[in-house]
Amino acid sequence: MLEASISAVPGLITAFLIFGALFALPTVFLLKARAKPWRLPTALAVYVAGILSVTMLPGSAGLEAAQCDMGAPIHLFTDESALLNVALFAPGAFLAVLALRRPVTVAAAFACLSGAVELIQSLGHLGRSCTLTDLTANATGSVLGVGAGTLWCLVHRTPVYRPKRDVAWGVSVLILGGGLCAALFLTQIESVDVVAKDDARQRRVDVAIDANEWLSTAAKATFGTDTEIVSSSVKFIGDKQKVTAETNRGSIAGWWPEKHLETAWAKDNRGDKGTASQKDAVATADRFARKWFPDSVDGSTQKVRVLGEGPTRAYMVTYRRYKDGVLMPMRLDITITTAKRILGFNARTLADPKLPSITVDEEKARELAHDATGKATESTLLLAQQIAGAWRHQAPSKRASAPASPEVTCPSRRHHSVLGVPGGRQLRHHDS
């Protein structure tokens, strides 16, 4: 691990020699001038120079400036980098206890040193990564080193220097240094969670793979077994994903993870010169619908509309469901050629909503439709539509909403009206 760390930081050896000399020489001269032991303090100075060389020199990786990965340190004892940080700080704290004989002060000072290192890595544009895992690993190494140094002093009967003052100094250093680091982290550093982002990114990749496999299977069932996906896209909308694929035979789209197909259309959308009858087309559509749209087929009414004339005509097989005389919002239209080839489909897969009581009768709906169009009505139909998040028997309108809305069709089939009367009249009208 040490070799990997050395090779990861260019110029580390040279920097260590320079910093070591800058830290060690003044320590030696100062302590010799005061006639005090200098070997352990000098070793400590050299080691601190090594810590700074390893952690502070510019690298080639890391987050953006003023960012710190605050993801939970769940890999503290399994990540190689975190274990290296533990090993880096433990010997320094051990030497500091032996040299100063103030374990509480040393523990507080090394904790502040750890925070300062991560803070400078984040603010200094050094190409180094500031992470909560590194901060925790540094602090863990410091605590282990302080513990080992204290135990060494006890075993060798070397008393702690002024214990009460040590505690006071340690608490003061921790409050002042720790408070300053915390304030800078809160005001100057943007917290990010790289692990969570990586996990989310991987989940998105997994979702895209699974969704594409499902859509590929659906495309082959729609266009033929020789269908191959040329390109695909996944659009994340809340907890859902809209999956769209372009194939060599046509386009197809659906929703994941519900596995609800929405639309498909073949590139070759011309009719085939086949011999399939309307009954054959219905059977083909029904087999396909029962496999891929079972919720839409269940309880629905099936109708067939002939598109075009002659052998190249096509059949549109529609599925609609009615509940208590109200047309439900689900829709399914499948277009089949006379060669039993699926040209495409359009689907809206929705569960039947709970609706309020109907307040508009057929006679009143016909009357309002006649007033609006001047034409006699041919038929009426209640529609279930969603307005402001709530399902009602009506379509959206600029006027006040109504709980019941019959659809009224005039004989000319050129006008379509949706009407409702809850204390006032509303009307939606358009040419078909």
Side-chain angles (χ1 to χ4, degrees), residues 238-276:
D239 295 332
K240 299 181 179 180
Q241 295 86 46
K242 176 71 175 291
V243 190
T244 304
E246 291 292 334
T247 77
N248 59 327
R249 301 286 297 276
S251 61
I252 187 169
W255 291 91
W256 183 271
E258 293 85 354
K259 295 184 179 181
H260 288 165
L261 293 174
E262 182 179 80
T263 183
W265 198 249
K267 287 184 177 180
D268 181 7
N269 53 19
R270 297 169 298 178
D272 299 323
K273 293 183 178 180
T275 59

Side-chain angles (χ1 to χ4, degrees), residues 73 76-77 82-83 85-91 93 107 110-111 114 132-148:
L76 179 61
F77 296 108
L83 291 175
N85 281 7
V86 171
L88 181 65
F89 273 73
F110 267 74
S114 174
L132 181 60
T133 298
D134 285 350
L135 181 63
T136 306
N138 297 343
T140 301
S142 300
V143 170
L144 292 176
V146 168

Side-chain angles (χ1 to χ4, degrees), residues 103-120:
V104 178
T105 302
V106 169
F110 267 74
C112 293
L113 175 63
S114 174
V117 165
E118 298 303 315
L119 189 64
I120 295 173

Side-chain angles (χ1 to χ4, degrees), residues 275-297:
T275 59
S277 64
Q278 179 173 308
K279 183 178 180 181
D280 296 331
V282 168
T284 300
D286 205 50
R287 283 194 301 271
F288 180 79
R290 290 188 180 279
K291 179 176 181 180
W292 293 98
F293 304 94
D295 294 336
S296 297
V297 174

